Amino acid sequence: GVLAADERNLPQAIEHWGRAVTLDPREYRTVLGVGWALARAGRTVEARAYFDFLASSSPPPEYAAEIDRARARLGVRFRRGER
């Protein structure tokens, strides 16, 4: 997922991170990765679901701030009517 995202291949990044999340949904970095890739691809409803899942799972402090930033950023996009 990381390499594909770095190469701006969002569909492949989403696919790879999505598979990794199915294997271990408690791996916060992976869930954040797929969430950000979905957001960059304009799939904000799906991205928000990943970030909301993380927020509800009592994340370690080092992830909590990033999750809050992601949710706040997507909240702005929702108000602008993105999907």
Side-chain angles (χ1 to χ4, degrees):
V2 173
L3 182 59
D6 287 347
E7 294 174 349
R8 303 273 189 246
N9 186 342
L10 296 177
Q12 188 175 40
I14 292 165
E15 178 186 341
H16 290 184
W17 269 320
R19 274 192 256 148
V21 167
T22 11
L23 295 173
D24 186 1
R26 301 287 296 176
E27 178 54 51
Y28 293 99
R29 180 61 39 203
T30 303
V31 180
L32 280 168
V34 74
W36 279 121
L38 286 163
R40 282 188 221 117
R43 295 166 56 181
T44 55
V45 172
E46 293 171 75
R48 181 70 188 240
Y50 279 93
F51 296 132
D52 287 347
F53 164 75
L54 284 174
S56 70
S57 66
S58 303
E62 63 267 23
Y63 294 105
E66 186 172 353
I67 294 164
D68 288 343
R69 275 193 305 275
R71 293 172 80 206
R73 196 179 258 176
L74 289 178
V76 171
R77 289 183 180 167
F78 277 135
R79 285 192 291 278
R80 290 185 186 155
E82 291 187 17
R83 26 183 187 126

